[in-house]
């Protein structure tokens, strides 16, 4: 935690091929990170198929390192009032949200290098054995702290997702899309052990999909992923796009990642796995590969390179 943040980024960037991550994007990420404290953990998101020059950044503020306390000078300086309130609440251990909120992801969607890029927040919660209605109220309170607008549609849709998760699945991630100027929310549902379990959940919440065709087409992924996270963007008048985050094992990360990427014929698979390393006190690995789908068709493959101080 005492290492200069510029040094951390430099060590991570050294492992990433220039074809994946050009100079302009490197400079943009460094400029975004310049005013932030040195955080232990971050994620660089590559658009692997179709291949794009766009590279996004996610910074993980971890409770176990009290990293939220480091953010106070930043949010005060930048006048991100909603973040200031969120970190104040998280620091107060007497409050319910602070007790169950594990991490806060600060997400930078880098679509246009020439425009100001404002972050949006994605919250990750601990697993709790509470009734869906109680969990819903916790999510609602978190949204209020984020200065989000809670609607009847969000209320009913999220409650259904929580009810269908039951005791075996964990709705851990939540973010309002208002940071993207959209109405709705994003959730992450974890603890799926197979594509078949993902399909059953989508069917339970009423997602429009040819379930049998999808399962037969994608169950081969079970040979590579150790678990799955279902990423859903839910909004009124929505399509039925969704993402499956295929979690790869750390122990043989390169082997599993290259086989997975080759399965989807990603052109720069070799360069992506070359970014994996554990030298100079910084570890990098491909934590998951996200398959974005519309109906039964793959619309995108995205690779998530995690970095962390040892």
């Amino acid at each position: 935690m005492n290492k200069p943040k510029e040094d951390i980024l430099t060590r991570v960037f050294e492992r990433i091929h220039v074809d994946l991550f050009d100079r302009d994007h490197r400079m943009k990420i460094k400029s975004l990170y310049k005013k932030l404290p040195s955080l232990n953990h971050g994620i660089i998101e590559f658009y692997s198929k179709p291949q794009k020059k766009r590279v996004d950044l996610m910074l993980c503020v971890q409770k176990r390192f009290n990293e939220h306390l480091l953010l106070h000078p930043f949010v005060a300086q930048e006048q991100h009032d909603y973040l200031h309130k969120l970190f104040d609440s998280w620091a107060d251990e007497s409050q319910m949200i602070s007790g169950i909120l594990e991490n806060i992801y600060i997400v930078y969607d880098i679509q246009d290098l020439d425009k100001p890029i404002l972050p949006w927040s994605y919250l990750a919660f601990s697993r709790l054995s509470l009734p869906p209605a109680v969990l819903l109220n916790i999510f609602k309170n978190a949204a209020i702290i984020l200065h989000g607008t809670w609607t009847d549609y969000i209320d009913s849709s999220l409650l259904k997702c929580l009810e269908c998760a039951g005791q075996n699945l964990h709705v851990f991630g939540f973010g309002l899309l208002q940071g993207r100027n959209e109405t709705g929310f994003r959730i992450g549902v974890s603890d799926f052990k197979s594509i078949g379990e993902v399909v059953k959940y989508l069917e339970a919440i009423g997602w429009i999909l040819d379930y049998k065709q999808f399962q037969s087409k994608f169950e081969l992924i079970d040979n590579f992923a150790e678990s799955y996270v279902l990423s859903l963007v839910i909004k009124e008048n929505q399509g039925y796009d969704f993402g499956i985050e295929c979690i790869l094992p750390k122990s043989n990360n390169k082997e599993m990642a290259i086989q997975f990427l080759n399965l989807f014929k990603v052109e720069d698979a070799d360069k992506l796995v070359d970014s994996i390393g554990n030298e100079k006190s910084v570890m990098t690995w491909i934590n998951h590969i996200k398959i974005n789908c519309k109906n039964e068709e793959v619309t995108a493959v995205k690779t998530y390179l995690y970095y962390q101080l040892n």
Side-chain angles (χ1 to χ4, degrees), residues 280-295:
K280 300 179 180 179
S281 72
V282 179
M283 182 179 184
T284 51
W285 72 99
I286 294 176
N287 183 75
H288 64 276
I289 299 169
K290 185 176 182 181
I291 309 301
N292 283 348
C293 299
K294 184 177 181 64
N295 298 324

Side-chain angles (χ1 to χ4, degrees), residues 105-231:
Y105 289 90
I106 302 175
V107 185
Y108 293 90
D109 294 325
I110 308 175
Q111 299 186 53
D112 191 332
L113 294 174
D114 297 324
K115 292 183 179 179
I117 299 172
L118 296 177
W120 59 281
S121 299
Y122 185 74
L123 311 181
F125 293 92
S126 306
R127 177 186 284 278
L128 292 173
S129 297
L130 294 173
V134 176
L135 290 171
L136 179 70
N137 195 52
I138 291 171
F139 279 55
K140 182 176 181 179
N141 289 337
I144 291 171
I145 289 176
L146 288 174
H147 285 192
T149 301
W150 192 265
T151 66
D152 291 341
Y153 178 80
I154 293 175
D155 197 273
S156 59
S157 300
L158 182 54
L159 179 60
K160 185 174 184 179
C161 291
L162 291 165
E163 290 173 339
C164 291
Q167 294 298 312
N168 296 323
L169 302 174
H170 176 31
V171 180
F172 76 95
F174 174 75
L176 289 170
L177 297 178
Q178 289 149 28
R180 292 181 169 183
N181 296 317
E182 298 177 14
T183 301
F185 62 97
R186 177 189 292 275
I187 59 168
V189 188
S190 67
D191 295 343
F192 296 99
K193 299 303 181 185
S194 68
I195 289 294
E197 290 182 5
V198 173
V199 168
K200 286 181 181 178
Y201 182 77
L202 288 171
E203 188 171 10
I205 64 173
W207 214 258
I208 296 178
L209 181 70
D210 186 327
Y211 304 110
K212 289 184 178 179
Q213 182 180 343
F214 181 85
Q215 183 167 345
S216 64
K217 187 174 182 178
F218 291 98
E219 60 189 0
L220 182 63
I221 299 175
D222 288 343
N223 294 327
F224 306 102
E226 61 180 13
S227 64
Y228 300 92
V229 170
L230 183 60
S231 177

